[in-house]
Amino acid sequence: MFTLSEENYLKTIYHLSLETSNGISTNAISNQLQTKASSVTDMIKKLSDKKVLAYKKYKGVTLTGFGKKTAANIVRKHRLWEVFLVEKLNFSWDEVHDVAEQLEHIKSPKLIHQLDSFLGFPTHDPHGDPIPDADGNLKTIEKSLLSTLLKNECGICVGVNDSSSEFLQFLDKKGIKLGKKITVLDKEEFDNSLSILIENKKLSISNKIANNLYIQKS
Amino acid sequence: MFTLSEENYLKTIYHLSLETSNGISTNAISNQLQTKASSVTDMIKKLSDKKVLAYKKYKGVTLTGFGKKTAANIVRKHRLWEVFLVEKLNFSWDEVHDVAEQLEHIKSPKLIHQLDSFLGFPTHDPHGDPIPDADGNLKTIEKSLLSTLLKNECGICVGVNDSSSEFLQFLDKKGIKLGKKITVLDKEEFDNSLSILIENKKLSISNKIANNLYIQKS
DNA sequence: ACATATTTTTAGATAAGACTAAAAATATAA
DNA sequence: TTATATTTTTAGTCTTATCTAAAAATATGT
Ligand SMILES: [Mn+2]
Ligand SMILES: [Mn+2]
Ligand SMILES: [Mn+2]
Ligand SMILES: [Mn+2]
């Protein structure tokens, strides 16, 4: 069994591992968790003793199979709870993360199994992120940043890169929701801003926004 | 804000306060929480500094108004989660307590408000215990132990005194559920066992059982 | 290649929440 | 009422998870 702190380290290392194929550095972890590098070294030793991390001094860490499964299960819980909050308790997608950060640590296999079933076995959370299955496997879908689409290309909005409440509320204000079709009408060379069509409305989108929206091309 | 440990102490003191009208002794708390008396003294000081307890050395503690409200809110969350687990996730009433012990510490006023609404503002948990309202007020109903009923008296089964899973499973096996009408057909002087009628079935009930079932007389 | 910068680890400190052992206060009983 | 038992508190230790400061290892640039 893992402590709350151990679980948070595991989850962070799991997320970092999905981005970079190399070992995860002490500093990368400390940046993410807002702790000091020395604290990370201490925790790495503990987690390595518990067989969830492979660690060689100064060489960074990688998750073991067991570690990967353990971490994926925490992410699974986080995302299932986010679905619950949005679908059943009428939270908006910018309000769920902090509560899910707490709920993901609840220990009860039956609870998570029943919750999954109650929610109809969802595959993605409210931000479009995939929910690992009970064995910790993720199925990733083909998706591209909106900023990489060319003029006249289109696709379905399937996720966000930035899930801060500021960005999510901004999307709400603009009427941009997951599942909607987006067409790139024009692309401005000067500042890489886009003119897009969504639900018969024309919108002007800055590059910063386009860099944080995922599209499944169609 | 209170730590997990502080919340558990508060809750324990709250429960003890409902049984005894005097101050709560260090030993009473340590027995309940399975900790040493010295640990309790330490925590009492901390909670007293935080203005949730009134404390005089060697004199035991009482909850302040603020403390009572804080504790009642934890109990509120515990019981609402128990309802959720039984009503929505198909847990049986003997499986919910341990999970609720974890869930009661989740901090999100919106979560608990929405959960309450989602559950239809329940007034009692699956064990028949009343759910404090948002202000921490409990409405207690008139109830008697089954063992105090006389021959030919009857009433509705409204609660349990012992909520161990062993006892709850025993009740399940016998078909005894909350909400059912129970009539005392006979009372055996020798061992205080009862013969009762429930759903047209005659059951023989030991004094130990009758001492752990609450009836609302009718 | 070697000096310098950066990263990582070690050493030692701190706070929370538990413990044991012993002292102090209170309760009980002859 | 005084001796004894019980309860409560104090003093000091331990573990976990954090920190700061300094040392050691690795990376970088000319
Ligand atoms: Mn999240
Ligand atoms: Mn999410
Ligand atoms: Mn309970
Ligand atoms: Mn209950």
Side-chain angles (χ1 to χ4, degrees):
Chain A
M1 207 50 77
F2 297 91
T3 66
L4 186 117
S5 244
E6 288 169 344
E7 289 194 344
N8 282 332
Y9 274 90
L10 266 177
K11 194 180 43 145
T12 294
I13 295 165
Y14 176 81
H15 285 310
L16 291 169
S17 299
L18 293 179
E19 287 165 16
T20 69
S21 51
N22 328 353
I24 307 304
S25 74
T26 301
N27 265 356
I29 300 168
S30 88
N31 279 326
Q32 201 66 33
L33 283 171
Q34 298 284 69
T35 57
K36 298 299 170 180
S38 54
S39 308
V40 173
T41 302
D42 280 351
M43 185 55 89
I44 278 175
K45 287 177 184 165
K46 204 180 313 173
L47 290 175
S48 156
D49 289 346
K50 286 196 169 187
K51 311 295 183 196
V52 284
L53 293 183
Y55 169 55
K56 285 221 151 132
K57 269 189 196 175
Y58 296 99
K59 299 299 179 190
V61 295
T62 48
L63 288 163
T64 63
F66 175 44
K68 219 168 290 179
K69 209 168 156 171
T70 306
N73 194 248
I74 301 166
V75 172
R76 172 173 165 76
K77 291 192 281 181
H78 181 105
R79 292 181 179 163
L80 281 173
W81 280 116
E82 286 190 342
V83 173
F84 170 73
L85 294 172
V86 166
E87 298 292 317
K88 304 292 182 180
L89 298 195
N90 292 113
F91 277 62
S92 59
W93 67 342
D94 62 294
E95 296 174 312
V96 296
H97 181 76
D98 290 348
V99 186
E101 284 290 303
Q102 300 177 63
L103 287 163
E104 70 189 6
H105 300 290
I106 303 294
K107 287 164 182 63
S108 165
K110 176 160 186 170
L111 171 59
I112 210 64
H113 178 267
Q114 293 297 95
L115 184 63
D116 190 26
S117 157
F118 182 59
L119 297 173
F121 307 103
T123 58
H124 292 82
D125 83 359
H127 313 104
D129 293 313
I131 298 173
D133 67 23
D135 296 320
N137 301 119
L138 266 187
K139 59 164 166 296
T140 49
I141 57 173
E142 196 63 43
K143 62 186 182 182
S144 327
L145 286 177
L146 175 55
S147 54
T148 66
L149 266 68
L150 306 175
K151 182 171 175 174
N152 293 323
E153 284 190 315
C154 68
I156 306 296
C157 183
V158 293
V160 293
N161 186 33
D162 170 3
S163 50
S164 69
S165 49
E166 295 76 43
F167 182 59
L168 297 176
Q169 282 172 20
F170 171 85
L171 295 179
D172 282 343
K173 206 167 56 186
K174 292 286 182 183
I176 300 173
K177 292 191 188 48
L178 300 194
K180 298 252 172 286
K181 184 177 176 185
I182 290 181
T183 308
V184 177
L185 298 177
D186 213 348
K187 210 165 171 174
E188 182 58 63
E189 288 302 319
F190 178 65
D191 62 355
N192 287 308
S193 67
L194 299 177
S195 171
I196 66 169
L197 187 72
I198 179 168
E199 299 224 297
N200 302 319
K201 274 183 316 195
K202 250 170 90 172
L203 282 183
S204 198
I205 291 290
S206 74
N207 179 248
K208 182 169 180 187
I209 304 303
N211 259 320
N212 282 302
L213 267 180
Y214 285 115
I215 305 296
Q216 186 171 30
K217 286 190 201 168
S218 56
Chain B
M1 207 49 76
F2 297 91
T3 66
L4 185 119
S5 243
E6 289 169 345
E7 289 193 344
N8 282 332
Y9 274 91
L10 267 177
K11 193 179 45 146
T12 295
I13 295 164
Y14 176 81
H15 286 309
L16 290 169
S17 300
L18 293 179
E19 288 164 16
T20 70
S21 50
N22 328 355
I24 307 303
S25 74
T26 301
N27 266 357
I29 299 168
S30 88
N31 279 328
Q32 200 67 33
L33 283 173
Q34 297 284 70
T35 56
K36 299 297 170 180
S38 54
S39 308
V40 174
T41 303
D42 280 351
M43 184 57 88
I44 278 175
K45 287 176 184 164
K46 204 180 313 172
L47 290 175
S48 154
D49 287 346
K50 287 196 168 186
K51 312 293 183 197
V52 284
L53 293 182
Y55 169 56
K56 284 222 151 130
K57 271 189 197 178
Y58 296 100
K59 299 299 179 189
V61 295
T62 48
L63 287 163
T64 63
F66 174 44
K68 218 169 289 178
K69 209 168 157 173
T70 305
N73 194 246
I74 302 167
V75 172
R76 171 172 165 79
K77 291 193 279 179
H78 181 106
R79 292 179 179 165
L80 282 172
W81 280 116
E82 286 190 342
V83 172
F84 170 72
L85 293 172
V86 166
E87 297 292 317
K88 302 293 182 178
L89 299 195
N90 293 112
F91 276 62
S92 59
W93 66 344
D94 62 294
E95 298 175 309
V96 297
H97 182 76
D98 291 348
V99 186
E101 285 289 303
Q102 299 177 63
L103 286 163
E104 72 190 4
H105 301 290
I106 302 293
K107 287 163 182 64
S108 165
K110 175 160 187 171
L111 171 60
I112 210 64
H113 179 266
Q114 293 296 97
L115 184 63
D116 191 26
S117 157
F118 181 58
L119 297 173
F121 307 103
T123 57
H124 292 80
D125 83 0
H127 313 105
D129 293 313
I131 298 173
D133 68 21
D135 296 320
N137 300 118
L138 267 185
K139 60 166 165 294
T140 49
I141 58 174
E142 196 62 44
K143 63 187 182 183
S144 328
L145 285 176
L146 175 54
S147 54
T148 66
L149 266 68
L150 306 174
K151 181 170 173 173
N152 294 323
E153 284 189 315
C154 68
I156 306 296
C157 184
V158 292
V160 293
N161 187 32
D162 171 1
S163 49
S164 69
S165 48
E166 297 75 45
F167 183 60
L168 297 176
Q169 282 171 20
F170 170 87
L171 295 179
D172 283 343
K173 205 166 62 189
K174 292 286 183 183
I176 300 173
K177 292 190 189 47
L178 300 195
K180 297 253 173 285
K181 185 179 176 183
I182 290 180
T183 308
V184 177
L185 297 176
D186 213 347
K187 209 163 174 177
E188 182 57 63
E189 287 302 320
F190 179 64
D191 62 356
N192 286 309
S193 68
L194 299 177
S195 172
I196 65 168
L197 187 72
I198 179 168
E199 299 226 296
N200 303 317
K201 275 184 317 198
K202 248 171 91 172
L203 282 182
S204 198
I205 291 290
S206 75
N207 179 250
K208 182 170 181 186
I209 305 302
N211 259 321
N212 283 301
L213 268 180
Y214 284 115
I215 305 295
Q216 186 170 29
K217 286 189 200 170
S218 56

